[in-house]
Amino acid sequence: MANKKILIIGGGVIGLGIGWQLAKSGASVTIYEQAKAGRAASWAAAGMLAPLAEAHTEEPELLKLGCQSLALYPQWAQELEADAEMSIGYRVEGTLIVGLEPDDTHQLRHLYASQQDLGLDVEWSTGRAAREIEPALSPRVTAAIRCESDHQVDNRLMVEALGRAYQRYGGVLCESSNVERIVIESEVVTGVQTQESFQAADVIILAAGCWSAQIEGLPDAILPPVRPVKGQMLALQMEDGITIKNVIRTVRARYPTSVYLVPRTDGRLIVGATSEEMGFDTRLTAGGIFELLRGAWEAVPGIYELPLLETWTGLRPGSRDNAPILGETPIENLIYATGHYRNGILLTPITAYEISKLILTGKTSETIAPFALDRFLA
Ligand code: FAD
Ligand code: GLY
């Protein structure tokens, strides 16, 4: 492995995370990033580490992977913070899923029942008990589910830390370098064509987020089924009287947008997110921001007074079954690590550890085997 040249396409959390682990093992790694590393979905995210709150009964494999990755976070945060010599804002306060009217309570009960069927560590709470935990919650909150083990990380700090840790171990980061084509000869990948030149490589890892199917050179049959799913977000500045410690998510049976509020250690309160099938359109809309503000204000009325700091959009790399696409492909030495959709920040540790292990040992672990591309192949 020491002599092999590894090339990663995409410098988001996934590319940087894998790159860091490989460079740390002594491998020769270069990341090609078309813009600035860590500024796409990985920058836009809310940083929730929420396998329980986002659990769907019909996605048991994804839930298991999310829980495994969450369990790695304390070790991951410690290792990354030590290598990067900076904090990544990992917080363990937990998540409250709240309802605001009787219809929402019914929906919450349904969610709670399915979480219990899955054996998840969740707790039912009355509206009053929820307000004791978070006094800023509206008196309208009827009931809540407490997910104590769903945590959060500051994803913007995490991408900065990953960039530092990766380069500290000799990883090469080429920014403003667009990979135009993946070059394949006789079913073996040989390198990439950037806008400047051909770059030979022994292993190529495709970690280009929602752009992963846009790069030329891949045969149609193995194009990763990944598409962009737009999310609009905003940040408020918490002030005296309105401080929130837990992540708060709403369940709204009658509204199109449920929201989440994620408190950061620096006082920012992240509010998200819309979920829109709009292709690569990244425009903010009045309606999107209105829905977020309305949803957040209904749950926490005091936000009305808070300064609005920032608005932005991001594109989630959504796969056809919402789960990531991880591991080997029918093309020799071409590895996929893409399609992390709504959970890419949560899934970064397990992706980085497992994909780097695959490249170093040549063996796909049982952990990631269910997420291989072949589940989509005829
Ligand atoms: P990206 O961060 O998008 O990185 C891909 C990189 O590849 C980009 O930097 C891009 O410029 C580069 N690239 C693309 N094409 C090329 C090319 N041809 N050549 C070179 N470089 C290229 N996840 C959670 O776990 N928790 C959350 O709370 C959460 N909230 C979210 C909220 C929003 C609004 C959004 C949009 C996402 C959220 N996510 C969340 C999902 C998470 O952000 C993503 O799953 C994750 O960031 C994907 O990481 P990535 O590295 O694959 O993609
Ligand atoms: N996981 C939160 C989001 O994708 O909006």
Side-chain angles (χ1 to χ4, degrees):
M1 181 48 58
N3 304 325
K4 279 198 180 172
K5 184 164 182 205
I6 300 165
L7 197 151
I8 301 177
I9 307 172
V13 280
I14 300 301
L16 288 170
I18 299 167
W20 167 47
Q21 285 299 308
L22 286 170
K24 198 170 173 174
S25 316
S28 155
V29 192
T30 303
I31 295 179
Y32 282 91
E33 164 54 52
Q34 67 184 358
K36 193 165 161 41
R39 294 299 172 115
S42 303
W43 188 258
M48 294 179 294
L49 310 175
L52 304 198
E54 295 211 353
H56 296 289
T57 38
E58 64 278 16
E59 296 169 354
E61 293 283 3
L62 180 57
L63 173 64
K64 186 171 158 200
L65 191 73
C67 291
Q68 287 172 320
S69 199
L70 180 67
L72 291 171
Y73 247 95
Q75 168 200 335
W76 169 266
Q78 198 181 28
E79 185 186 348
L80 181 54
E81 287 181 345
D83 281 357
E85 296 179 353
M86 63 176 279
S87 164
I88 61 166
Y90 172 56
R91 291 178 57 163
V92 297
E93 277 92 349
T95 297
L96 276 173
I97 313 175
V98 305
L100 289 146
E101 51 199 0
D103 283 8
D104 302 339
T105 310
H106 285 303
Q107 196 168 323
L108 271 182
R109 283 205 186 282
H110 179 71
L111 175 64
Y112 184 61
S114 43
Q115 288 172 323
Q116 285 194 307
D117 286 347
L118 290 167
L120 305 181
D121 178 20
V122 289
E123 197 184 307
W124 185 261
S125 160
T126 61
R128 178 185 296 229
R131 278 187 294 280
E132 275 166 22
I133 299 166
E134 286 296 352
L137 279 172
S138 165
R140 284 176 59 198
V141 168
T142 49
I145 300 172
R146 195 167 185 202
C147 309
E148 273 194 271
S149 60
D150 274 1
H151 299 151
Q152 67 139 308
V153 71
D154 186 329
N155 44 291
R156 292 186 182 180
L157 292 179
M158 189 159 100
V159 289
E160 194 185 330
L162 283 170
R164 279 195 201 183
Y166 168 66
Q167 292 178 89
R168 177 180 173 178
Y169 287 103
V172 178
L173 179 60
C174 302
E175 295 185 307
S176 306
S177 287
N178 182 39
V179 170
E180 292 175 349
R181 170 177 285 273
I182 295 172
V183 181
I184 297 167
E185 285 168 21
S186 310
E187 315 249 310
V188 181
V189 79
T190 56
V192 298
Q193 180 68 44
T194 70
Q195 76 263 36
E196 264 140 30
S197 56
F198 173 75
Q199 297 292 330
D202 299 301
V203 178
I204 290 182
I205 303 168
L206 178 60
C210 70
W211 295 271
S212 295
Q214 305 289 310
I215 301 168
E216 288 175 26
L218 295 175
D220 284 351
I222 66 149
L223 277 178
V226 177
R227 69 189 193 288
V229 181
K230 174 169 140 180
Q232 302 189 42
M233 302 271 279
L234 60 92
L236 304 169
Q237 177 67 50
M238 287 189 283
E239 289 183 339
D240 287 349
I242 304 291
T243 46
I244 292 166
K245 293 209 171 78
N246 293 256
V247 172
I248 295 171
R249 304 174 69 105
T250 65
V251 156
R252 300 312 316 270
R254 295 190 197 195
Y255 290 100
T257 308
S258 293
V259 302
Y260 47 75
L261 297 92
V262 184
R264 293 276 196 252
T265 306
D266 65 4
R268 283 158 66 92
L269 181 64
I270 312 299
V271 179
T274 62
S275 192
E276 303 167 62
E277 300 280 352
M278 298 287 290
F280 288 93
D281 174 2
T282 52
R283 285 173 300 179
L284 287 158
T285 63
I289 296 301
F290 172 75
E291 290 295 341
L292 296 182
L293 285 171
R294 179 175 66 177
W297 168 74
E298 284 179 333
V300 180
I303 66 136
Y304 200 84
E305 307 295 336
L306 300 183
L308 176 60
L309 296 178
E310 189 186 343
T311 50
W312 68 95
T313 58
L315 299 174
R316 303 174 183 89
S319 78
R320 208 183 295 151
D321 62 3
N322 303 333
I325 304 166
L326 305 174
E328 292 176 307
T329 66
I331 302 296
E332 205 175 316
N333 297 331
L334 175 64
I335 307 287
Y336 283 175
T338 185
H340 290 73
Y341 193 35
R342 304 183 69 95
N343 289 302
I345 306 298
L346 167 67
L347 296 175
T348 298
I350 204 144
T351 303
Y353 289 137
E354 293 294 331
I355 295 290
S356 56
K357 211 161 53 182
L358 162 64
I359 288 163
L360 295 170
T361 65
K363 291 201 187 88
T364 298
S365 72
E366 284 183 16
T367 309
I368 59 166
F371 300 96
L373 175 74
D374 60 14
R375 71 189 191 273
F376 297 113
L377 304 181

